[in-house]
Coordinates of all heavy atoms in Angstrom, one line a residue:
M1 N 0.2 4.2 16.7 CA 0.0 5.1 15.4 C 0.9 4.5 14.4 O 2.0 4.2 14.7 CB 0.4 6.5 15.9 CG 0.3 7.5 14.6 SD 1.0 9.1 14.9 CE 2.7 8.8 14.7
I2 N 0.4 4.4 13.2 CA 1.3 4.0 12.0 C 1.5 5.3 11.2 O 0.7 6.0 10.8 CB 0.5 2.9 11.3 CG1 0.3 1.6 12.1 CG2 1.2 2.6 9.9 CD1 -0.5 0.6 11.5
T3 N 2.9 5.4 10.9 CA 3.2 6.5 10.0 C 3.4 5.8 8.6 O 4.1 4.7 8.6 CB 4.5 7.1 10.4 OG1 4.2 7.8 11.6 CG2 4.9 8.2 9.4
V4 N 2.9 6.4 7.5 CA 3.1 5.7 6.3 C 3.9 6.6 5.5 O 3.7 7.9 5.4 CB 1.7 5.6 5.5 CG1 2.0 5.0 4.2 CG2 0.7 4.6 6.3
R5 N 5.0 6.1 4.9 CA 5.9 6.9 3.9 C 5.8 6.1 2.7 O 6.2 5.0 2.6 CB 7.2 7.0 4.5 CG 8.2 7.7 3.4 CD 9.5 8.0 4.1 NE 10.3 8.7 3.0 CZ 10.4 9.9 2.7 NH1 9.6 10.7 3.4 NH2 11.1 10.5 1.8
V6 N 5.4 6.9 1.6 CA 5.4 6.4 0.3 C 6.6 7.1 -0.5 O 6.7 8.2 -0.5 CB 4.1 6.6 -0.5 CG1 4.3 6.0 -2.1 CG2 2.9 6.0 0.1
E7 N 7.7 6.2 -0.8 CA 8.9 6.8 -1.4 C 8.6 7.3 -2.8 O 7.8 6.9 -3.5 CB 10.0 5.7 -1.4 CG 10.3 5.2 0.0 CD 11.1 6.2 0.8 OE1 11.4 7.2 0.3 OE2 11.1 5.8 2.1
E8 N 9.5 8.4 -3.2 CA 9.6 8.9 -4.6 C 9.7 7.7 -5.5 O 10.4 6.8 -5.2 CB 10.6 9.8 -4.6 CG 10.5 10.5 -5.9 CD 11.6 11.6 -6.0 OE1 12.2 12.1 -4.9 OE2 12.2 11.9 -7.2
S9 N 8.9 7.8 -6.7 CA 9.1 6.9 -7.7 C 8.8 7.6 -9.0 O 8.5 8.8 -9.1 CB 8.2 5.7 -7.4 OG 6.8 6.1 -7.6
A10 N 8.8 6.9 -10.1 CA 8.4 7.5 -11.3 C 6.9 7.9 -11.3 O 6.5 8.7 -12.1 CB 8.4 6.4 -12.5
R11 N 6.1 7.5 -10.2 CA 4.8 7.8 -10.1 C 4.5 9.3 -9.5 O 3.5 9.8 -9.3 CB 4.0 6.9 -9.2 CG 4.1 5.4 -9.7 CD 3.2 5.3 -11.0 NE 3.3 3.9 -11.5 CZ 2.6 3.5 -12.6 NH1 2.0 4.3 -13.2 NH2 2.6 2.2 -12.8
G12 N 5.6 9.8 -8.7 CA 5.5 11.1 -8.1 C 6.4 11.2 -6.9 O 7.1 10.3 -6.5
P13 N 6.5 12.4 -6.3 CA 7.3 12.7 -5.2 C 6.7 11.9 -3.8 O 5.6 11.4 -3.7 CB 7.1 14.1 -4.9 CG 5.8 14.5 -5.4 CD 5.4 13.5 -6.6
A14 N 7.6 11.7 -2.9 CA 7.4 11.1 -1.7 C 6.4 11.7 -0.9 O 6.2 12.9 -0.9 CB 8.7 10.9 -0.8
R15 N 5.5 11.0 -0.1 CA 4.5 11.5 0.8 C 4.6 10.7 2.1 O 4.9 9.6 2.1 CB 3.1 11.3 0.3 CG 2.8 12.1 -1.1 CD 2.5 13.6 -0.6 NE 1.9 14.3 -1.8 CZ 2.5 15.1 -2.5 NH1 3.9 15.2 -2.4 NH2 2.0 15.6 -3.5
E16 N 4.3 11.4 3.3 CA 4.4 10.9 4.5 C 3.3 11.5 5.3 O 3.0 12.6 5.4 CB 5.7 11.0 5.1 CG 5.9 10.3 6.4 CD 7.3 10.5 7.0 OE1 8.3 10.2 6.3 OE2 7.5 10.6 8.3
G17 N 2.7 10.5 6.2 CA 1.7 10.9 7.1 C 1.2 9.9 7.9 O 1.6 8.7 7.8
R18 N 0.3 10.2 8.8 CA -0.4 9.3 9.7 C -1.5 8.5 9.1 O -2.2 9.1 8.3 CB -0.9 10.0 10.9 CG -1.5 9.2 12.0 CD -2.2 9.8 13.1 NE -1.3 10.6 13.8 CZ -1.6 11.3 15.0 NH1 -2.8 11.3 15.4 NH2 -0.7 11.9 15.6
L19 N -1.5 7.2 9.3 CA -2.7 6.3 9.0 C -3.8 6.5 9.9 O -3.7 6.1 11.1 CB -2.3 4.9 8.8 CG -3.3 3.9 8.2 CD1 -3.7 4.3 6.7 CD2 -2.8 2.5 8.2
R20 N -4.8 7.1 9.5 CA -6.0 7.5 10.6 C -7.0 6.3 10.7 O -7.5 6.2 11.8 CB -6.7 8.7 10.0 CG -5.8 9.9 9.9 CD -6.5 11.2 9.5 NE -5.6 12.2 9.2 CZ -4.9 12.9 10.1 NH1 -4.9 12.7 11.2 NH2 -4.0 13.8 9.5
G21 N -7.1 5.4 9.8 CA -8.0 4.3 10.0 C -7.2 3.0 9.6 O -5.9 3.0 9.6
A22 N -8.0 2.0 9.2 CA -7.3 0.8 8.9 C -7.0 0.8 7.5 O -6.0 -0.1 7.0 CB -8.1 -0.4 9.3
R23 N -7.6 1.4 6.6 CA -7.5 1.3 5.1 C -6.4 2.1 4.6 O -6.4 3.4 4.6 CB -8.8 1.7 4.5 CG -9.9 0.7 4.9 CD -11.3 1.3 4.3 NE -11.3 2.3 3.3 CZ -11.9 2.4 2.2 NH1 -12.6 1.3 1.8 NH2 -12.0 3.5 1.5
L24 N -5.5 1.4 3.9 CA -4.3 2.2 3.3 C -4.8 3.1 2.2 O -4.1 4.1 2.0 CB -3.4 1.0 2.8 CG -2.0 1.6 2.2 CD1 -1.2 2.5 3.2 CD2 -1.2 0.5 1.8
V25 N -5.8 2.7 1.6 CA -6.2 3.5 0.4 C -6.7 4.9 0.8 O -6.6 5.9 0.2 CB -7.4 2.8 -0.4 CG1 -8.7 2.7 0.4 CG2 -7.6 3.4 -1.8
D26 N -7.2 5.0 2.0 CA -7.6 6.4 2.5 C -6.4 7.3 2.7 O -6.4 8.4 2.5 CB -8.4 6.1 3.9 CG -9.7 5.5 3.6 OD1 -10.2 5.5 2.6 OD2 -10.1 4.9 4.8
F27 N -5.2 6.7 3.1 CA -4.0 7.5 3.2 C -3.5 7.8 1.7 O -3.2 9.1 1.6 CB -2.9 6.7 3.9 CG -1.6 7.4 3.7 CD1 -1.3 8.4 4.6 CD2 -0.7 7.1 2.6 CE1 0.0 9.1 4.4 CE2 0.4 7.7 2.5 CZ 0.8 8.8 3.4
V28 N -3.7 7.0 0.9 CA -3.3 7.3 -0.5 C -4.1 8.4 -1.1 O -3.5 9.4 -1.6 CB -3.4 6.1 -1.3 CG1 -3.2 6.3 -2.8 CG2 -2.6 4.9 -0.9
D29 N -5.5 8.3 -0.8 CA -6.3 9.4 -1.3 C -6.0 10.8 -0.7 O -5.8 11.8 -1.2 CB -7.7 9.0 -1.1 CG -8.2 7.9 -2.1 OD1 -7.6 7.8 -3.1 OD2 -9.2 7.4 -1.7
E30 N -5.9 10.7 0.7 CA -5.8 11.9 1.5 C -4.4 12.6 1.2 O -4.3 13.8 1.2 CB -5.8 11.6 3.0 CG -7.4 11.3 3.4 CD -7.4 10.8 4.7 OE1 -6.5 10.9 5.5 OE2 -8.4 10.2 5.2
A31 N -3.4 11.8 1.1 CA -1.9 12.3 1.0 C -1.7 12.5 -0.4 O -0.6 13.2 -0.7 CB -1.0 11.4 1.6
R32 N -2.5 12.0 -1.3 CA -2.1 12.1 -2.7 C -0.8 11.5 -3.0 O 0.1 11.9 -3.6 CB -2.1 13.6 -3.4 CG -3.4 14.2 -3.3 CD -3.4 15.5 -3.8 NE -4.7 16.1 -3.9 CZ -4.9 17.3 -4.7 NH1 -4.1 17.9 -5.2 NH2 -6.2 17.8 -4.6
A33 N -0.7 10.3 -2.3 CA 0.5 9.6 -2.4 C 0.6 9.0 -3.8 O -0.3 8.7 -4.6 CB 0.5 8.4 -1.5
P34 N 1.9 8.9 -4.2 CA 2.2 8.4 -5.6 C 2.0 6.9 -5.8 O 2.9 6.2 -6.2 CB 3.7 8.8 -5.9 CG 4.2 8.7 -4.5 CD 3.3 9.1 -3.5
I35 N 0.7 6.5 -5.7 CA 0.3 5.1 -6.0 C -0.9 5.3 -6.9 O -2.0 5.7 -6.5 CB 0.0 4.4 -4.6 CG1 1.2 4.3 -3.8 CG2 -0.5 2.9 -5.0 CD1 0.8 3.8 -2.4
P36 N -0.7 4.7 -8.1 CA -1.9 4.7 -9.0 C -3.1 3.8 -8.6 O -2.8 2.8 -8.0 CB -1.4 4.3 -10.4 CG -0.2 3.5 -10.1 CD 0.4 4.0 -8.7
L37 N -4.2 4.3 -8.7 CA -5.4 3.4 -8.4 C -6.3 3.2 -9.5 O -6.5 4.1 -10.4 CB -6.2 4.0 -7.2 CG -5.4 3.9 -5.9 CD1 -6.1 5.0 -4.9 CD2 -5.3 2.7 -5.3
S38 N -7.0 2.0 -9.7 CA -7.9 1.9 -10.8 C -9.1 1.3 -10.2 O -10.1 1.8 -9.9 CB -7.3 1.2 -11.9 OG -8.2 1.0 -13.0
C39 N -9.2 -0.1 -10.1 CA -10.5 -0.8 -9.9 C -10.8 -0.6 -8.4 O -12.0 -0.7 -8.0 CB -10.3 -2.3 -10.0 SG -9.3 -3.1 -8.9
R40 N -9.8 -0.4 -7.5 CA -10.1 -0.2 -6.1 C -10.7 -1.3 -5.4 O -11.3 -1.3 -4.4 CB -10.8 1.1 -5.7 CG -10.2 2.4 -6.0 CD -10.9 3.6 -5.7 NE -10.3 4.8 -6.0 CZ -9.8 5.5 -5.0 NH1 -9.9 5.2 -3.8 NH2 -9.1 6.7 -5.5
G41 N -10.5 -2.5 -6.0 CA -11.1 -3.7 -5.5 C -10.3 -4.9 -5.4 O -10.7 -6.0 -5.1
G42 N -8.9 -4.8 -5.6 CA -8.1 -5.9 -5.6 C -7.9 -6.7 -6.7 O -7.6 -7.8 -6.5
T43 N -8.4 -6.3 -7.8 CA -8.4 -7.2 -9.0 C -7.5 -6.8 -10.0 O -7.1 -7.7 -10.7 CB -9.8 -7.4 -9.5 OG1 -10.4 -6.1 -10.0 CG2 -10.8 -8.1 -8.6
C44 N -7.2 -5.6 -10.3 CA -6.4 -5.1 -11.5 C -4.9 -5.0 -11.3 O -4.2 -5.1 -12.2 CB -6.9 -3.7 -12.0 SG -6.4 -2.4 -11.0
G45 N -4.5 -4.9 -10.0 CA -3.1 -4.9 -9.7 C -2.4 -3.5 -10.0 O -1.2 -3.4 -9.7
T46 N -3.2 -2.5 -10.4 CA -2.5 -1.2 -10.6 C -1.8 -0.6 -9.5 O -0.8 0.1 -9.7 CB -3.6 -0.2 -11.2 OG1 -4.3 -0.8 -12.2 CG2 -3.2 1.1 -11.4
C47 N -2.4 -0.9 -8.2 CA -1.9 -0.2 -7.0 C -0.8 -1.0 -6.3 O -0.5 -0.7 -5.1 CB -3.0 0.0 -6.1 SG -3.8 -1.6 -5.5
R48 N -0.2 -1.9 -7.0 CA 0.9 -2.8 -6.3 C 2.0 -1.9 -5.7 O 2.4 -1.1 -6.4 CB 1.5 -3.8 -7.3 CG 0.5 -4.9 -7.6 CD 1.2 -5.8 -8.8 NE 1.3 -5.0 -10.1 CZ 2.4 -4.8 -10.8 NH1 3.5 -5.6 -10.5 NH2 2.3 -4.1 -11.9
V49 N 2.4 -2.3 -4.4 CA 3.5 -1.6 -3.9 C 4.4 -2.5 -3.2 O 3.9 -3.7 -2.9 CB 2.9 -0.6 -2.6 CG1 2.1 0.5 -3.3 CG2 2.0 -1.3 -1.7
R50 N 5.6 -2.2 -3.2 CA 6.6 -3.1 -2.4 C 6.6 -2.5 -1.1 O 6.8 -1.4 -0.8 CB 7.9 -3.0 -3.1 CG 8.8 -4.0 -2.5 CD 10.2 -4.3 -3.3 NE 9.9 -4.5 -4.8 CZ 9.5 -5.6 -5.3 NH1 9.3 -6.7 -4.5 NH2 9.4 -5.7 -6.5
V51 N 6.6 -3.4 -0.1 CA 6.7 -3.0 1.3 C 8.2 -3.0 1.6 O 8.9 -4.1 1.7 CB 6.0 -3.9 2.4 CG1 6.1 -3.5 3.7 CG2 4.4 -3.9 1.9
L52 N 8.7 -1.8 2.0 CA 10.2 -1.7 2.2 C 10.4 -1.9 3.8 O 11.5 -2.2 4.1 CB 10.7 -0.4 1.7 CG 10.5 -0.1 0.3 CD1 10.9 1.3 0.0 CD2 11.3 -1.1 -0.6
E53 N 9.4 -1.6 4.6 CA 9.6 -1.5 6.1 C 8.2 -1.6 6.6 O 7.5 -1.0 6.2 CB 10.5 -0.3 6.4 CG 10.8 -0.3 7.9 CD 11.6 1.0 8.1 OE1 12.2 1.5 7.3 OE2 11.7 1.3 9.4
G54 N 8.1 -2.4 7.7 CA 6.9 -2.3 8.6 C 5.8 -3.4 7.9 O 4.6 -3.0 8.2
A55 N 6.1 -4.4 7.3 CA 5.2 -5.4 6.8 C 4.2 -5.9 7.8 O 3.0 -6.2 7.6 CB 5.8 -6.4 6.2
H56 N 4.8 -6.0 9.1 CA 4.1 -6.5 10.2 C 2.9 -5.7 10.6 O 1.9 -6.0 11.3 CB 4.9 -6.8 11.4 CG 5.5 -5.6 12.0 ND1 6.6 -4.8 11.3 CD2 5.2 -4.7 13.0 CE1 6.7 -3.8 11.9 NE2 6.0 -3.7 13.0
L57 N 2.8 -4.4 10.1 CA 1.9 -3.4 10.4 C 0.6 -3.6 9.5 O -0.5 -3.1 9.8 CB 2.4 -2.1 10.3 CG 3.5 -1.7 11.2 CD1 4.0 -0.3 10.9 CD2 2.9 -1.6 12.7
L58 N 0.7 -4.5 8.5 CA -0.5 -4.8 7.7 C -1.0 -6.1 8.0 O -0.3 -7.3 8.2 CB -0.1 -4.8 6.1 CG 0.3 -3.4 5.7 CD1 0.9 -3.6 4.2 CD2 -0.8 -2.4 5.8
A59 N -2.3 -6.3 7.9 CA -3.1 -7.6 8.1 C -2.6 -8.5 7.0 O -2.5 -8.0 5.9 CB -4.5 -7.4 8.2
P60 N -2.7 -9.8 7.1 CA -2.4 -10.6 6.0 C -3.4 -10.4 4.9 O -4.4 -10.0 5.1 CB -2.7 -12.1 6.7 CG -2.6 -11.9 8.1 CD -2.9 -10.5 8.4
P61 N -3.0 -10.7 3.7 CA -3.8 -10.3 2.5 C -5.1 -11.2 2.4 O -5.0 -12.4 2.9 CB -2.9 -10.6 1.3 CG -1.8 -11.6 1.8 CD -1.7 -11.3 3.3
S62 N -6.2 -10.7 1.8 CA -7.3 -11.5 1.7 C -7.1 -12.5 0.5 O -6.0 -12.3 -0.2 CB -8.5 -10.6 1.3 OG -8.1 -10.0 0.0
A63 N -7.9 -13.4 0.3 CA -7.7 -14.4 -0.8 C -7.6 -13.7 -2.1 O -6.9 -14.0 -3.0 CB -8.9 -15.5 -0.7
R64 N -8.5 -12.6 -2.3 CA -8.4 -12.0 -3.5 C -7.1 -11.3 -3.8 O -6.6 -11.2 -4.9 CB -9.6 -10.9 -3.6 CG -9.6 -10.1 -4.9 CD -10.6 -9.1 -4.9 NE -11.9 -9.7 -5.1 CZ -13.2 -9.1 -5.0 NH1 -13.2 -7.7 -4.6 NH2 -14.2 -9.7 -5.0
E65 N -6.8 -10.5 -2.8 CA -5.5 -9.9 -2.8 C -4.3 -10.9 -3.2 O -3.4 -10.6 -4.0 CB -5.1 -9.1 -1.6 CG -3.8 -8.3 -1.7 CD -3.3 -7.5 -0.5 OE1 -4.1 -7.5 0.5 OE2 -2.3 -6.9 -0.6
A66 N -4.3 -12.0 -2.6 CA -3.2 -12.9 -2.7 C -3.2 -13.5 -4.2 O -2.3 -13.8 -4.8 CB -3.4 -14.0 -1.7
E67 N -4.5 -13.8 -4.7 CA -4.8 -14.3 -6.0 C -4.1 -13.3 -7.1 O -3.5 -13.6 -8.1 CB -6.2 -14.5 -6.2 CG -6.5 -15.1 -7.6 CD -8.0 -15.4 -7.7 OE1 -8.6 -15.8 -6.7 OE2 -8.4 -15.4 -8.9
T68 N -4.5 -12.0 -6.9 CA -4.0 -10.9 -7.8 C -2.5 -10.9 -7.8 O -1.8 -10.7 -8.8 CB -4.7 -9.5 -7.5 OG1 -6.1 -9.7 -7.5 CG2 -4.1 -8.5 -8.5
R69 N -2.0 -10.9 -6.5 CA -0.5 -10.7 -6.3 C 0.1 -11.9 -7.1 O 1.1 -11.7 -7.8 CB -0.3 -10.8 -4.9 CG 1.3 -10.6 -4.7 CD 1.5 -10.4 -3.2 NE 1.2 -11.6 -2.5 CZ 1.1 -11.7 -1.1 NH1 1.4 -10.7 -0.4 NH2 0.8 -12.8 -0.5
A70 N -0.3 -13.1 -7.0 CA 0.2 -14.3 -7.6 C 0.1 -14.2 -9.2 O 0.9 -14.7 -9.7 CB -0.6 -15.5 -7.1
W71 N -1.0 -13.6 -9.6 CA -1.1 -13.5 -11.1 C -0.1 -12.7 -11.6 O 0.4 -12.9 -12.7 CB -2.6 -12.9 -11.4 CG -3.0 -13.0 -12.8 CD1 -3.6 -14.0 -13.5 CD2 -2.7 -12.0 -13.7 NE1 -3.6 -13.7 -14.8 CE2 -3.2 -12.5 -15.1 CE3 -2.1 -10.7 -13.9 CZ2 -3.1 -11.8 -16.3 CZ3 -1.9 -10.0 -15.0 CH2 -2.5 -10.6 -16.2
F72 N 0.3 -11.6 -10.9 CA 1.4 -10.8 -11.3 C 2.7 -11.4 -10.9 O 3.9 -10.8 -11.3 CB 1.3 -9.4 -10.7 CG 0.3 -8.5 -11.4 CD1 -0.9 -8.4 -11.0 CD2 0.8 -7.8 -12.4 CE1 -1.9 -7.6 -11.6 CE2 -0.2 -7.0 -13.0 CZ -1.5 -6.9 -12.6
G73 N 2.8 -12.5 -10.4 CA 4.1 -13.2 -10.0 C 4.8 -12.5 -8.9 O 6.1 -12.6 -8.9
E74 N 4.2 -11.8 -8.1 CA 4.8 -11.0 -7.1 C 4.9 -11.8 -5.7 O 4.1 -12.7 -5.5 CB 4.0 -9.7 -6.7 CG 3.9 -8.8 -7.9 CD 5.1 -8.0 -8.3 OE1 6.2 -8.4 -7.8 OE2 5.0 -7.3 -9.1
G75 N 5.9 -11.6 -4.9 CA 6.1 -12.3 -3.7 C 5.4 -11.7 -2.5 O 4.7 -10.6 -2.8
P76 N 5.6 -12.1 -1.3 CA 4.9 -11.6 -0.2 C 5.3 -10.2 0.3 O 4.4 -9.6 1.0 CB 5.2 -12.6 1.0 CG 6.5 -13.2 0.4 CD 6.5 -13.3 -1.0
D77 N 6.3 -9.6 -0.4 CA 6.6 -8.2 0.0 C 5.8 -7.3 -0.9 O 6.0 -6.1 -0.6 CB 8.1 -8.0 -0.2 CG 8.6 -8.2 -1.6 OD1 8.0 -9.0 -2.3 OD2 9.6 -7.5 -2.0
V78 N 5.0 -7.7 -1.7 CA 4.2 -6.8 -2.6 C 2.7 -6.9 -2.0 O 2.2 -8.0 -1.8 CB 4.3 -7.2 -4.0 CG1 3.2 -6.4 -4.8 CG2 5.6 -6.8 -4.6
R79 N 2.2 -5.8 -1.9 CA 0.7 -5.7 -1.5 C 0.0 -4.7 -2.5 O 0.6 -4.1 -3.3 CB 0.7 -5.2 0.0 CG 1.4 -5.8 1.1 CD 0.8 -7.2 1.2 NE -0.6 -7.2 1.6 CZ -1.0 -7.3 2.9 NH1 -0.3 -7.4 3.9 NH2 -2.3 -7.3 3.1
L80 N -1.4 -4.9 -2.3 CA -2.3 -4.0 -3.1 C -2.8 -2.9 -2.2 O -3.5 -3.1 -1.3 CB -3.4 -4.8 -3.6 CG -3.0 -6.0 -4.5 CD1 -4.4 -6.7 -4.9 CD2 -2.2 -5.6 -5.7
A81 N -2.4 -1.5 -2.6 CA -2.7 -0.5 -1.7 C -4.2 -0.3 -1.6 O -4.6 0.4 -0.6 CB -2.0 0.8 -2.2
C82 N -5.0 -0.7 -2.5 CA -6.4 -0.4 -2.5 C -7.1 -1.2 -1.5 O -8.3 -0.9 -1.1 CB -7.0 -0.6 -3.9 SG -7.2 -2.2 -4.5
V83 N -6.7 -2.4 -1.2 CA -7.3 -3.2 -0.2 C -6.5 -3.6 1.0 O -7.0 -4.4 1.9 CB -7.8 -4.6 -1.0 CG1 -8.8 -4.4 -2.0 CG2 -6.5 -5.3 -1.6
A84 N -5.2 -3.3 1.1 CA -4.5 -3.7 2.3 C -5.0 -3.0 3.5 O -5.5 -1.7 3.4 CB -3.1 -3.3 2.0
R85 N -5.0 -3.6 4.6 CA -5.5 -3.0 5.9 C -4.5 -3.1 6.9 O -3.8 -4.1 7.0 CB -6.8 -3.6 6.3 CG -7.9 -3.5 5.4 CD -9.2 -4.1 5.8 NE -9.8 -3.4 6.9 CZ -10.7 -2.5 6.7 NH1 -11.1 -2.1 5.6 NH2 -11.2 -1.9 7.9
A86 N -4.4 -2.1 7.8 CA -3.5 -2.1 8.9 C -4.1 -3.1 10.1 O -5.2 -3.3 10.2 CB -3.3 -0.7 9.5
V87 N -3.1 -3.7 10.8 CA -3.5 -4.4 11.9 C -4.1 -3.5 13.1 O -3.5 -2.3 13.1 CB -2.4 -5.3 12.6 CG1 -1.8 -6.4 11.5 CG2 -1.2 -4.4 12.9
A88 N -4.9 -4.0 13.7 CA -5.4 -3.1 14.9 C -4.3 -2.8 15.9 O -3.5 -3.7 16.3 CB -6.6 -3.8 15.7
G89 N -4.1 -1.6 16.4 CA -3.2 -1.2 17.4 C -1.7 -1.2 16.9 O -0.8 -1.1 17.8
G90 N -1.6 -1.2 15.7 CA -0.1 -1.2 15.1 C 0.5 0.2 15.4 O -0.1 1.2 15.5
R91 N 1.9 0.1 15.6 CA 2.6 1.3 15.9 C 4.0 1.1 15.1 O 4.7 0.1 15.2 CB 3.1 1.4 17.4 CG 1.9 1.7 18.2 CD 2.2 1.7 19.7 NE 1.1 2.2 20.4 CZ 0.9 3.5 20.9 NH1 1.8 4.5 20.6 NH2 -0.1 3.8 21.6
G92 N 4.4 2.2 14.5 CA 5.5 2.1 13.6 C 5.5 2.8 12.3 O 4.6 3.5 11.8
L93 N 6.4 2.5 11.5 CA 6.7 3.0 10.2 C 6.3 2.0 9.2 O 7.0 1.0 9.1 CB 8.2 3.7 10.0 CG 8.4 4.1 8.6 CD1 7.6 5.4 8.2 CD2 9.9 4.6 8.5
L94 N 5.5 2.4 8.2 CA 5.2 1.5 7.1 C 5.8 2.2 5.9 O 5.3 3.3 5.5 CB 3.8 1.4 6.9 CG 3.2 0.5 5.8 CD1 3.7 -0.9 5.8 CD2 1.7 0.5 5.8
R95 N 6.8 1.7 5.2 CA 7.4 2.4 4.1 C 7.3 1.6 2.9 O 7.4 0.3 2.7 CB 9.0 2.4 4.5 CG 9.7 3.5 3.6 CD 11.0 3.9 4.3 NE 11.9 2.8 4.3 CZ 12.8 2.6 3.4 NH1 12.8 3.2 2.2 NH2 13.6 1.5 3.6
L96 N 6.7 2.2 1.9 CA 6.2 1.5 0.7 C 6.8 2.4 -0.6 O 7.2 3.5 -0.5 CB 4.8 1.7 0.4 CG 3.9 1.3 1.7 CD1 2.5 1.8 1.6 CD2 3.9 -0.2 2.0
V97 N 6.8 1.6 -1.7 CA 7.1 2.2 -2.9 C 6.2 1.6 -4.0 O 6.1 0.4 -4.1 CB 8.6 2.2 -3.4 CG1 9.1 0.8 -3.6 CG2 8.8 3.1 -4.5
A98 N 5.6 2.4 -4.9 CA 4.7 1.9 -6.0 C 5.6 1.2 -6.9 O 6.8 1.6 -7.2 CB 4.1 3.1 -6.6
L99 N 5.1 0.2 -7.5 CA 5.7 -0.6 -8.6 C 5.3 0.0 -10.0 O 4.3 0.5 -10.1 CB 5.4 -2.0 -8.5 CG 5.8 -2.8 -7.2 CD1 5.4 -4.2 -7.3 CD2 7.4 -2.6 -7.0
D100 N 6.2 -0.2 -10.9 CA 5.9 0.3 -12.3 C 4.9 -0.5 -12.9 O 4.8 -1.8 -12.7 CB 7.1 0.3 -13.1 CG 8.0 1.4 -12.6 OD1 7.6 2.5 -11.9 OD2 9.3 1.2 -12.8
Ligands
FES1 S1 -6.6 -0.5 -7.8 FE1 -6.9 -2.5 -8.7 S2 -6.1 -3.9 -7.5 FE2 -5.9 -1.9 -6.5

């Protein structure tokens, strides 16, 4: 089981809960986590989050996610919440914070 905690930020108060499937965006929607979403397709970069803990619980980024991340000049600790997926069978805490 993966527990997701999205830390408080200028985007809103912290939220924590269980990741029920592989898609991080489903947690964001269900928990009303403070991560803004726009395109939901990995191209606009609105949903950029910094992974504070548990990066190993996410599958490697797709080519599109990596390209968008590079366009913003972000390093490997930044992921796109709309397209990031959990690894199968992962267990632990995934701690994130939305970027401005
Ligand atoms: S919402 Fe556009 S890249 Fe995630």
Side-chain angles (χ1 to χ4, degrees):
M1 178 186 85
I2 295 175
T3 298
V4 181
R5 178 174 175 81
V6 180
E7 300 293 349
E8 181 178 339
S9 69
R11 305 291 188 178
R15 293 280 194 262
E16 184 172 318
R18 180 187 296 187
L19 185 64
R20 299 186 194 285
R23 295 172 9 127
L24 185 56
V25 70
D26 292 336
F27 170 81
V28 174
D29 286 338
E30 290 170 15
R32 297 185 175 191
I35 298 172
L37 295 163
S38 184
C39 74
R40 293 177 177 256
T43 58
C44 73
T46 301
C47 64
R48 287 173 295 131
V49 293
R50 187 170 312 283
V51 180
L52 303 173
E53 187 174 342
H56 64 287
L57 298 171
L58 293 175
S62 66
R64 177 183 292 168
E65 182 181 359
E67 182 178 327
T68 300
R69 182 174 66 191
W71 192 87
F72 280 93
E74 304 287 6
D77 61 330
V78 170
R79 300 296 304 265
L80 300 179
C82 72
V83 292
R85 299 180 69 91
V87 295
R91 290 176 176 265
L93 175 63
L94 175 62
R95 202 159 62 87
L96 312 166
V97 66
L99 298 184
D100 290 334

